[in-house]
Amino acid sequence: MDQALKAAQKAGRSIETLTRESFPLTVLPETLQRTVDRLENDLGLYVLRGLPVEPYTKDELRLIYWGIGLHMGTAVTQSFKGDVLGDVKDFGQSASTASGRGYMSKEDLGFHTDTSDIVSLFVLRTAKSGGRSLFCSSVAVADEIRRTRPNLFDVLQKPFYWHWKGHEQPGEKPYYQQPVFTIRDGKFSSRWVATHILSAQEFPEVPRLSDVQIEAMKLVNSLASDPRFHTSMMFEPGDIQFLNNHVVYHARTEFEDWDEPDRKRHLLRLWLSVPNTRTLDEGMKAIYRDVNGGAVRGGFPSHTDQLVFETKASEF
């Protein structure tokens, strides 16, 4: 990794001009390809641990992380601002507001998925306390619902109304329809952001959630929170976590941060589209746009023509 960084710096590459070829890795590509394979064909969760962060500046760590992403797939935009490399830290926001994003707060975040095939987090600094990372198998949750409440499994395969949270394209309605569970070519996929479904109820023209829809949503939350279906880990600086959003829900406990700015919890985030992804059901087209396996897809459509490589509170 250090050699790849030095090669990129010697060539005068910035994060905006870095390419896969200008960030030459030797041994690590085998690890990254194994990661991509296991994300799609195994548990859907993979963590690389042990990268020393202390010797590098923040700008160098951004370059390293971006270079890793280039060797795995294509980064997609994480908001209408066009940010392809996000900063996960407390910006004082709240996910409960109309446009608030949970990753910009210190709040407890319930189980959910992000809007991409793969989400990755690179840990620069951890909090004073809290901020535990949790993972839940959405496949196991769906299997349990299908076994015990098949009527609710059917409900979750039908469209719900979702709030765009300000990420709709100009001229589009601020909401869209999408199921929670889908199956295509024998492969399951789930997209789950309960707050986006509940927020859509603020629009008068959106039909009210039925009793059975509410019951189904409560059951998903209840099972995801059941220790039978989730596990957890505490981050360490240098960890790089990868999750397949189609088969894994993730959550985070609330954290208490340090007072000193240079010690505050800070993670970098990539949303990746990788070459070996599954074909998705047509019902997922509103968000993913292209449902074909291996397509570059996902992310929130950018409203700008520029890519952003750092999240700044003033821009949201």
Side-chain angles (χ1 to χ4, degrees), residues 290-302:
D290 191 335
V291 296
N292 292 306
V296 176
R297 63 193 186 188
F300 287 118
S302 173

Side-chain angles (χ1 to χ4, degrees), residues 3 14 32 35-36 42-43 45 76 123 144 174 179-180 201 210 214 224 243 263 273 286 302 309 316:
Q3 290 173 347
S14 65
L32 298 183
T35 301
V36 169
D42 203 320
L43 297 179
L45 162 67
V76 297
V123 184
E144 181 71 3
V180 175
Q201 294 293 292
S210 66
I214 293 172
L243 299 175
R263 297 182 69 188
S273 185
S302 173
F309 296 89
F316 286 83

Side-chain angles (χ1 to χ4, degrees), residues 149 151-152 155 160 209-217:
R149 297 296 306 275
N151 64 315
L152 297 186
V155 168
F160 284 68
L209 287 166
S210 66
D211 290 343
V212 71
Q213 284 179 314
I214 293 172
E215 185 181 10
M217 291 179 65

Side-chain angles (χ1 to χ4, degrees), residues 77-247:
T77 49
Q78 301 175 28
S79 79
F80 62 87
K81 293 290 185 180
D83 48 324
V84 287
L85 180 58
D87 291 75
V88 178
K89 57 183 181 179
D90 181 21
F91 286 96
Q93 284 207 5
S94 172
S96 61
T97 62
S99 60
R101 304 290 295 275
Y103 72 95
M104 300 179 74
S105 76
K106 61 179 180 181
E107 299 169 343
D108 175 277
L109 300 180
F111 282 102
H112 65 282
T113 57
D114 286 343
T115 309
S116 59
D117 292 310
I118 304 298
V119 57
S120 172
L121 293 172
F122 179 24
V123 184
L124 306 187
R125 290 191 301 265
T126 55
K128 183 177 182 180
S129 64
R132 191 168 187 85
S133 185
L134 299 90
F135 331 102
C136 168
S137 169
S138 59
V139 180
V141 167
D143 284 347
E144 181 71 3
I145 294 175
R146 180 160 44 184
R147 183 180 69 84
T148 61
R149 297 296 306 275
N151 64 315
L152 297 186
F153 183 85
D154 291 341
V155 168
L156 291 162
Q157 287 188 289
K158 295 181 171 61
F160 284 68
Y161 282 87
W162 299 63
H163 198 308
W164 269 114
K165 289 281 188 173
H167 293 93
E168 68 272 14
Q169 293 283 54
E172 284 186 335
K173 293 180 179 179
Y175 55 84
Y176 59 97
Q177 293 187 72
Q178 194 168 77
V180 175
F181 294 163
T182 59
I183 300 174
R184 173 73 183 269
D185 300 336
K187 283 203 168 186
F188 172 85
S189 180
S190 177
R191 183 160 182 267
W192 177 243
V193 193
T195 55
H196 289 198
I197 296 174
L198 296 173
S199 296
Q201 294 293 292
E202 72 182 49
F203 301 112
E205 65 272 28
V206 168
R208 301 302 88 182
L209 287 166
S210 66
D211 290 343
V212 71
Q213 284 179 314
I214 293 172
E215 185 181 10
M217 291 179 65
K218 286 182 176 178
L219 184 55
V220 171
N221 269 333
S222 174
L223 291 175
S225 301
D226 188 324
R228 292 180 297 161
F229 299 102
H230 74 249
T231 187
S232 66
M233 65 173 283
M234 203 65 187
F235 281 142
E236 296 179 9
D239 284 354
I240 307 179
Q241 177 194 94
F242 299 92
L243 299 175
N244 182 336
N245 281 304
H246 301 301
V247 295

